Amino acid sequence: SCLPRLFPGPHGLMPWQMYCDCWQFEVLRLAGPHRHRKSSVVGFVDPEAADVNFVANDLFHDHGFELANMWLLPGKGRPAFSPLILHWAGTGDNRVWLTEEYLRKNFNTSLSSCPPSKPARWTAGFGTRARALRCCLRLRERDDRQRWPWTLPENALLKVLMWWGCITHAGAAGSVTSEECSALLGTER
């Protein structure tokens, strides 16, 4: 049911957001909520335990090709993400030098060498809090409780909070807390 949204419409516009919304709805319907998905056919990886498709360009569109702005290096008062697999989609010809810089700054290595020893950052794990960060950024942008989405009926508000990644599904463990937002956003503004 989502396949038609993968192709441009009659005006040449790609309904990407509609495709993403459709995909999220269908995976929820077929396999359950984020971090609680189950299937007898495929296995799911919890991205907060091992992020196997971290696309910095999707989450941080205004990164300016700087690793710190992609959250791949620590920033002012906040941690860095260390995904298991980093996808450079949308970075064009910059992907090679970005990869080199990422490896050098995080692991003291390059595309043509091995690290001299196990870097300290590797002990932190390979998951990311990208879902929680997305939530925290949206909450910060929409902090006026007298405006949208806070004025929506409760069921509609829950759907928005699920889309933002703030809750996995109504009543489930996995909701993002204000403490997590403080730790993630630190002093960033």
Side-chain angles (χ1 to χ4, degrees), residues 24-43:
Q24 290 289 338
F25 173 78
E26 289 299 325
V27 78
L28 175 67
R29 184 178 68 79
L30 293 169
H34 179 74
R35 301 194 76 197
H36 302 278
R37 294 186 177 135
K38 293 186 179 7
S39 168
S40 60
V41 179
V42 297

Side-chain angles (χ1 to χ4, degrees), residues 81-137:
F81 288 158
S82 52
L84 180 61
I85 299 175
L86 180 56
H87 195 304
W88 295 109
T91 58
D93 293 337
N94 299 301
R95 71 175 51 97
V96 174
W97 72 262
L98 281 167
T99 302
E100 285 283 352
E101 184 176 356
Y102 176 74
L103 292 172
R104 183 175 50 79
K105 290 187 174 178
N106 283 293
F107 306 111
N108 192 29
T109 191
S110 70
L111 290 173
S112 60
S113 69
C114 293
S117 63
K118 184 177 175 183
R121 286 229 18 240
W122 284 2
T123 62
F126 295 107
T128 69
R129 300 290 295 143
R131 177 185 66 90
L133 176 63
R134 177 180 179 190
C135 167
C136 296
L137 291 171

Side-chain angles (χ1 to χ4, degrees), residues 9-90:
H11 301 294
L13 298 176
M14 183 86 162
W16 184 246
Q17 187 67 52
M18 290 172 60
Y19 169 76
C20 291
D21 290 345
C22 179
W23 190 90
Q24 290 289 338
F25 173 78
E26 289 299 325
V27 78
L28 175 67
R29 184 178 68 79
L30 293 169
H34 179 74
R35 301 194 76 197
H36 302 278
R37 294 186 177 135
K38 293 186 179 7
S39 168
S40 60
V41 179
V42 297
F44 291 90
V45 176
D46 180 353
E48 294 180 25
D51 197 337
V52 295
N53 191 30
F54 183 82
V55 184
N57 204 49
D58 269 358
L59 193 57
F60 309 108
H61 60 86
D62 57 349
H63 53 71
F65 300 104
E66 293 183 24
L67 294 176
N69 292 343
M70 295 177 181
W71 284 55
L72 296 171
L73 291 175
K76 186 177 179 184
R78 58 128 180 102
F81 288 158
S82 52
L84 180 61
I85 299 175
L86 180 56
H87 195 304
W88 295 109

Side-chain angles (χ1 to χ4, degrees), residues 148-161:
W148 185 91
W150 309 109
T151 56
L152 292 171
E154 184 177 359
N155 194 32
L157 176 60
L158 285 174
K159 287 181 181 179
V160 170
L161 294 175

